[in-house]
Amino acid sequence: MHLVIIGNGIAGVSCAQAVRRLQPTARITLVSAESAHHFSRPALMYLYMGHLRWPDVKPFEDWYWTENRLELVHDRATHLDAAARTVHLAAGPSLTYDALLLATGATTRYYDWPGQHLRGVQGLVSKADVELMAETTLQVQEAVIVGGGLIGVEMAEMLRTRGHGVTMLVRDRHYWGSVLPPEEAALVDAQLRRHGVRVHYETELTEVLGDDAGRVRAVRTSRGTELPCQWLGIATGVTPALDLTAGTGIDTDRGILVDDYLQTSVPGIFAAGDCAQRRSPGPGEAAIEPLWYTGRMQGETVAHTICGQPTAYRRGPWFNSAKFFDLEYQTYGQVPARPGADEASFWWQHPTAALGLRLHYRADASRALLGVNALGLRLRHDVCDQWLRRGVPVGEVLAQLGAANFDPEFFAQHEPAIVAAYNARHPDEPAVVLRRRKGLLSRLLSV
Amino acid sequence: MVALGLLALAVTAAAPAGLREPAFWLGVALLSAGALGWSWYKFGRGPGGVHHNNLWARGSTSRGAVAWATGVALTGFYVVLYWWPEYLENLIRPLDGLSQALRQRPADQWFLYGTFYTLAVLLMGTRALLKYRHSPYQRVRTASVMFFQLGFAWLLPGVLLALQQPEFYFTYFWPLKYDYLFPGGVQSLLQNGHLGAFMVGWGLIMSFVATPVLTYFFGKRWYCSWVCGCGGLAETAGDPYRHLSDKRREAWRYEVSIVYTVLGFIVVTTALLWLNTRLGGALLGRLSDEFSRTYGFVVGALFSGVVGVGFYPILGSRVWCRYGCPMAAYLGLLQKHFSRFRISTNGGQCISCGNCSNVCEMGIDVKQYAQRGEPIIRAACVGCGLCSTACPRGVLNLENGPREGRYQPSQLIRAESLRILE
Ligand SMILES: Cc1cc2nc3c(=O)[nH]c(=O)nc-3n(C[C@H](O)[C@H](O)[C@H](O)COP(=O)(O)OP(=O)(O)OC[C@H]3O[C@@H](n4cnc5c(N)ncnc54)[C@H](O)[C@@H]3O)c2cc1C
Ligand code: SF4
Ligand code: SF4
């Protein structure tokens, strides 16, 4: 079997690795226009900040690919001939395949702002983007970032390490309003302030203004103000890369449409990662999941189907993590920005330090845990995952809270304070008694 | 200020007698104030956190001209110290007062070295305390190496000398301080009555009882990054250079082939020397002295001093610990096979960013394990905890726990069994 994979991102590479394990004799070719070798996209910011070099953000050394017989083609796929099962490349010879995986990822989403093509206006998705950013921010005093999400904060941190002034335009009332509840957002906001980032909430970009040299000189906002800047970062999300599907009969919507098995509408062609859109996502799941983790899981799953072991994509309870300047964030399960009907939410925050924990649960008799947000606290993924799969009642979660503590040794333990806060706020319920302390031993002893 | 301090010290080295003392103390004062002031300026003012900004962009920490100059200067100091101590006379004499007070004897080149070494650990330890102040693990650990260097590697041996006792280092054991258990070393200690006998007993117990027991419970880190003086210098003065360690597979191959050879060599030599003593010297004659001299030169001077510390700015801070230290090899074997220690990885949270591997001074490619959800159980790991501190996703945690299931990978990633190390 010859498997051709377009895209050497996490989805494509995870699929290639799993196929190599499942079918040791398969021929596997990875095509990528962006870089000769797979790299960690979430690590791009560390290149700009000088924390890491290019070889450091490659998850595998270069010998890895030849030793595991994974053929790499550094080229752009220009055209797909589904009838002839052939991919045409820009420079090299065409490739014929028995199975094709489209793992083409995503690109910056622009909203057709006037002036968005001026120099100094850019997104941050690719290796080329970060190189361009290093070049175009050299002479910058003031920068503006549109978008209050994860990439926006990363851009702000990058620019602040070089001392550039940064203003963020955020559409919602608070940071990442579509995802974070207000208390979490307030902690992030405090981080932004602490690091000298100005944030304009409920403000959108309306126009980019240029100078005679074709470079951005200011932006106009929905509040009618004009903010002078020499650089404008676009962080309003990404859009799936669909170019290759044109004229192939592959159904697309916002992304490449796939069924539960990550198959497209054309037999033998699959899609996974940022470019894929599921036709029927499970309840509470998004059709497009543009994350590193989901890309990895989709890549592994589709490998099984490609190798003749049809496997539906079931990612299990949601999880994600990020870091806002110095503040770590982890989330497990579903924590909506506002609790829905029949849902309740308990939030604990440290009186002085930037630490917070939210437990989101059903308000009915089961009081089953639905999700957890942690800021400044590290939680154990497998413990949270088990709680969520089993729908453990929130009282039990609190009693066992130490089992999920993944903070390093000598860190202050906040479980007693958290449990006390819960009891104080729910005087009508039987008081929760903290039964589990932090530590590996107690975890293994628990059932 | 640091530069001025170094200049003053350089002047001292060549100064006439009258100028010597003031120039020396001025140099030390400027150097200390400069190092502390700079640390506060860089790490003390802003919010705490891992801010490795421009680490690989500035020459001094990425093998640029400044790094080479620092390396040459450090190496030069070691070369002069080992082979031409007479040129250090002007630096040694100003320490006579201090040496008299502590040890009741004039200073010598080793007192100068020990004093500078301790000063470096204290000054750069303060820098590390500021830099990593957001992490209680790093705070406690840094304070520990500063304490052991000052108390057990500088004050106590000096006090022992003052009391006419052998200059004994309670924090160094066989096989690192191999001569503590060589027949010659044991015999000379035993000439010192009860205290000497206690020292021999201490050495035996530390090497063969305490080391395995402590390593069983806490891993190699109890020694390498909490107690040991070489480790102490690496964790403090070497901290700006920790990321320079070589992470490639080739480097790992060199590591295992060299470090276990050194350990094997010490074990065999110790056994032969004791056999020789039992046989009344019939076996080896005066080889014992020969050995001490040759090994002392090649491993003690060249490897641990000149290359190990002199090349900090080029090769990273743990070259000696990784490739040369027999104690690390011994502890490493215990850690790998008879210990409750491991670095747990947190389910599927790794984003393969590479920050953990970057800060690993022992050259372990930590992300290889993290991105497959496997615990990190490596003989080399000194448990400095920096990978855990630096990870932006909270993936890594140093833990002691039951040995059962110690190698168990997370169920939340299907770890691919493709080849990494062999
Ligand atoms: C700055 C940044 C930070 C992020 N941080 C996080 C994070 O912290 N956590 C997280 O979970 N996610 C994060 N993400 C998202 C995550 O990186 C992506 O979800 C993930 O990389 C998607 O992987 P993929 O394999 O689907 O696609 P990609 O990694 O985008 O790979 C697709 C590859 O295909 C190539 N390609 C496309 N078309 C062609 C063609 N026609 N011919 C040849 N090659 C082609 C592209 O050049 C690209 O190299 C971040 C993203 C960015 C941009
Ligand atoms: S363990 Fe942490 S630091 Fe290491 S690669 Fe993974 S996310 Fe990055
Ligand atoms: S693996 Fe982590 S704890 Fe061990 S030596 Fe490397 S950085 Fe330190």
Side-chain angles (χ1 to χ4, degrees):
Chain A
M1 179 187 74
H2 184 200
L3 167 65
V4 172
I5 301 173
I6 311 296
N8 69 352
I10 184 67
V13 163
S14 300
C15 173
Q17 292 171 322
V19 169
R20 171 53 69 239
R21 177 169 54 87
L22 296 169
Q23 277 198 13
T25 57
R27 182 179 165 208
I28 304 170
T29 307
L30 284 144
V31 181
S32 172
E34 187 178 12
S35 59
H37 297 101
H38 171 53
F39 70 94
S40 169
R41 198 169 297 288
L44 283 177
M45 64 184 295
Y46 302 109
L47 293 176
Y48 180 91
M49 299 195 294
H51 294 200
L52 302 172
R53 301 157 303 167
W54 176 248
D56 303 323
V57 304
K58 291 197 275 191
F60 303 94
E61 281 186 66
D62 294 352
W63 51 257
Y64 179 84
W65 309 102
T66 30
E67 286 195 9
N68 290 295
R69 292 171 293 116
L70 302 170
E71 296 172 32
L72 305 181
V73 177
H74 188 186
D75 204 343
R76 170 165 298 282
T78 50
H79 175 68
L80 174 58
D81 185 342
R85 294 190 163 236
T86 304
V87 180
H88 298 284
L89 304 181
S94 307
L95 296 165
T96 51
Y97 60 81
D98 302 305
L100 176 72
L101 175 67
L102 297 173
T104 51
T107 54
T108 302
R109 190 197 301 159
Y110 290 87
Y111 284 89
D112 288 325
W113 293 287
Q116 69 182 23
H117 299 295
L118 287 164
R119 254 189 328 119
V121 181
Q122 68 163 102
L124 175 65
V125 169
S126 65
K127 175 172 185 264
D129 287 339
V130 80
E131 287 161 358
L132 181 70
M133 187 170 167
E135 214 177 285
T136 54
T137 55
L138 279 180
Q139 306 294 331
V140 166
Q141 278 95 49
E142 281 299 325
V144 169
I145 297 165
V146 207
L150 295 174
I151 296 188
V153 176
E154 288 191 3
M155 276 183 172
E157 182 173 354
M158 291 159 79
L159 294 162
R160 290 302 294 148
T161 61
R162 299 204 179 177
H164 306 309
V166 175
T167 306
M168 288 179 78
L169 307 183
V170 176
R171 189 187 52 198
D172 297 309
R173 282 258 296 282
H174 62 245
Y175 172 75
W176 213 14
S178 56
V179 174
L180 287 186
E183 290 85 357
E184 282 89 326
L187 282 178
V188 178
D189 183 71
Q191 277 292 313
L192 291 166
R193 280 170 206 284
R194 192 135 186 246
H195 286 88
V197 179
R198 294 171 297 257
V199 192
H200 296 204
Y201 292 104
E202 296 183 286
T203 307
E204 289 178 68
L205 174 70
T206 52
E207 189 182 353
V208 192
L209 308 170
D211 61 13
D212 298 341
R215 219 194 131 100
V216 53
R217 74 172 166 78
V219 296
R220 190 162 294 140
T221 73
S222 55
R223 295 180 167 238
T225 44
E226 200 178 296
L227 299 170
C229 65
Q230 298 81 47
W231 192 84
L232 173 63
I234 307 292
T236 44
V238 293
T239 181
L242 303 176
D243 300 359
L244 263 187
T245 56
T248 55
I250 297 176
D251 291 349
T252 61
D253 175 33
R254 279 183 299 140
I256 302 172
L257 287 170
V258 291
D259 62 12
D260 258 10
Y261 296 87
L262 304 172
Q263 311 182 84
T264 68
S265 54
V266 174
I269 301 185
F270 305 80
D274 279 12
C275 66
Q277 176 181 352
R278 283 190 293 154
R279 288 178 193 271
S280 44
E285 297 183 4
I288 303 180
E289 297 176 329
L291 278 194
W292 182 260
Y293 312 117
T294 47
R296 182 178 64 214
M297 290 188 267
Q298 292 190 3
E300 282 169 0
T301 307
V302 76
H304 289 78
T305 306
I306 290 171
C307 292
Q309 308 171 14
T311 306
Y313 173 64
R314 298 272 179 272
R315 65 158 157 70
W318 176 253
F319 66 96
N320 193 13
S321 58
K323 195 170 179 186
F324 310 106
F325 286 85
D326 298 321
L327 182 62
E328 288 180 18
Y329 158 73
Q330 295 186 340
T331 185
Y332 300 97
Q334 300 299 329
V335 186
R338 266 156 238 86
D342 311 327
E343 292 173 0
S345 165
F346 164 71
W347 167 252
W348 169 85
Q349 188 173 333
H350 191 275
T352 50
L355 302 169
L357 180 80
R358 180 181 300 280
L359 300 176
H360 183 67
Y361 54 96
R362 269 188 221 294
D364 62 18
S366 76
R367 308 188 76 70
L369 185 72
L370 294 170
V372 186
N373 274 352
L375 282 162
L377 301 168
R378 293 178 173 180
L379 299 183
R380 233 177 251 280
H381 186 174
D382 51 2
V383 172
C384 295
D385 187 80
Q386 281 305 314
W387 284 343
L388 292 163
R389 283 180 198 267
R390 303 207 315 254
V392 173
V394 68
E396 190 58 24
V397 167
L398 282 159
Q400 303 282 342
L401 205 52
N405 187 331
F406 200 67
D407 276 338
E409 293 149 304
F410 303 111
F411 274 60
Q413 296 178 28
H414 302 287
E415 289 85 10
I418 294 170
V419 168
Y422 182 88
N423 286 335
R425 231 169 297 162
H426 301 87
D428 46 323
E429 293 177 22
V432 175
V433 179
L434 182 63
R435 290 204 309 275
R436 286 286 300 282
R437 290 202 44 242
K438 170 188 177 182
L440 208 52
L441 184 65
S442 53
R443 178 168 64 116
L444 291 177
L445 291 176
S446 81
V447 214
Chain B
M1 243 200 271
V2 174
L4 282 179
L6 287 174
L7 187 71
L9 286 179
V11 170
T12 315
L19 201 64
R20 198 166 63 187
E21 305 259 321
F24 178 86
W25 292 111
L26 180 71
V28 170
L30 281 175
L31 194 71
S32 309
L36 294 177
W38 176 249
S39 304
W40 180 81
Y41 177 79
K42 261 206 90 186
F43 302 111
R45 296 174 310 152
V50 178
H51 303 131
H52 281 145
N53 304 333
N54 294 321
L55 191 66
W56 281 109
R58 87 173 87 73
S60 58
T61 53
S62 64
R63 304 194 183 104
V66 178
W68 280 97
T70 317
V72 168
L74 280 172
T75 312
F77 176 73
Y78 272 94
V79 170
V80 176
L81 180 77
Y82 281 113
W83 289 288
W84 292 286
E86 56 274 22
Y87 290 106
L88 294 174
E89 197 54 23
N90 273 353
L91 293 173
I92 296 170
R93 292 286 70 85
L95 284 173
D96 276 339
L98 188 62
S99 181
Q100 284 292 357
L102 179 67
R103 318 190 303 164
Q104 297 192 356
R105 65 190 63 198
D108 55 14
Q109 90 225 55
W110 302 119
F111 186 68
L112 170 77
Y113 178 51
T115 307
F116 275 12
Y117 195 107
T118 307
L119 187 66
V121 169
L122 295 180
L123 291 175
M124 293 298 278
T126 311
R127 172 188 174 279
L129 284 173
L130 285 171
K131 182 175 175 190
Y132 302 119
R133 67 180 184 280
H134 62 291
S135 164
Y137 182 79
Q138 299 302 346
R139 289 202 305 260
V140 178
R141 194 180 57 77
T142 306
S144 170
V145 291
M146 291 164 75
F147 167 77
F148 279 105
Q149 176 59 35
L150 180 65
F152 284 81
W154 191 74
L155 286 176
L156 192 56
V159 170
L160 285 171
L161 278 181
L163 299 174
Q164 309 290 332
Q165 297 295 339
E167 183 183 13
F168 191 82
Y169 292 81
F170 285 93
T171 48
Y172 290 109
F173 330 115
W174 184 95
L176 175 56
K177 253 311 200 182
Y178 48 88
D179 47 348
Y180 279 2
L181 291 188
F182 277 4
V186 169
Q187 280 148 17
S188 81
L189 280 177
L190 285 178
Q191 284 157 13
N192 292 282
H194 290 313
L195 186 61
F198 172 73
M199 287 167 175
V200 172
W202 173 264
L204 274 170
I205 288 176
M206 287 314 289
S207 294
F208 299 113
V209 182
T211 294
V213 169
L214 287 168
T215 309
Y216 174 79
F217 283 108
F218 306 112
K220 170 180 182 174
R221 54 189 174 143
W222 75 267
Y223 188 66
C224 292
S225 64
W226 284 74
V227 171
C228 175
C230 308
L233 192 72
E235 296 296 341
T236 53
D239 180 69
Y241 308 114
R242 59 183 327 124
H243 56 289
L244 299 172
S245 62
D246 192 339
K247 316 296 187 312
R248 291 170 309 139
R249 185 172 56 168
E250 280 103 300
W252 173 78
R253 288 181 178 148
Y254 281 116
E255 170 193 317
V256 286
S257 55
I258 301 171
V259 77
Y260 294 117
T261 310
V262 174
L263 175 63
F265 184 66
I266 300 253
V267 171
V268 169
T269 311
T270 310
L272 279 180
L273 288 174
W274 279 104
L275 197 64
N276 184 45
T277 313
R278 289 294 296 271
L279 299 176
L283 198 58
L284 300 167
R286 294 195 48 77
L287 194 91
S288 162
D289 299 347
E290 261 320 293
F291 169 84
S292 291
R293 222 167 298 131
T294 318
Y295 180 89
F297 173 74
V298 174
V299 175
L302 268 186
F303 210 155
S304 74
V306 179
V307 181
V309 179
F311 286 14
Y312 266 16
I314 305 302
L315 298 176
S317 53
R318 288 261 191 187
V319 169
W320 157 251
C321 310
R322 181 180 181 194
Y323 300 96
C325 177
M327 185 74 190
Y330 171 42
L331 285 158
L333 289 174
L334 292 170
Q335 165 157 289
K336 179 126 179 117
H337 301 290
F338 307 101
S339 174
R340 291 158 54 90
F341 174 72
R342 87 290 312 268
I343 303 179
S344 308
T345 57
N346 201 7
Q349 289 280 21
C350 175
I351 52 168
S352 299
C353 69
N355 280 296
C356 51
S357 303
N358 186 55
V359 294
C360 181
E361 52 192 351
M362 293 304 279
I364 298 171
D365 197 355
V366 185
K367 69 172 179 291
Q368 291 306 336
Y369 301 83
Q371 67 195 4
R372 303 144 171 259
E374 282 175 17
I376 296 121
I377 301 173
R378 281 282 294 270
C381 171
V382 292
C384 65
L386 248 296
C387 53
S388 163
T389 304
C391 173
R393 294 294 180 272
V395 175
L396 303 162
N397 201 1
L398 282 63
E399 294 188 295
N400 315 307
R403 286 168 47 76
E404 210 171 302
R406 186 166 168 245
Y407 280 91
Q408 181 68 47
S410 167
Q411 301 301 306
L412 296 162
I413 306 187
R414 269 165 292 284
E416 293 305 335
S417 51
L418 299 187
R419 322 182 323 175
I420 293 296
L421 281 188
E422 56 197 47

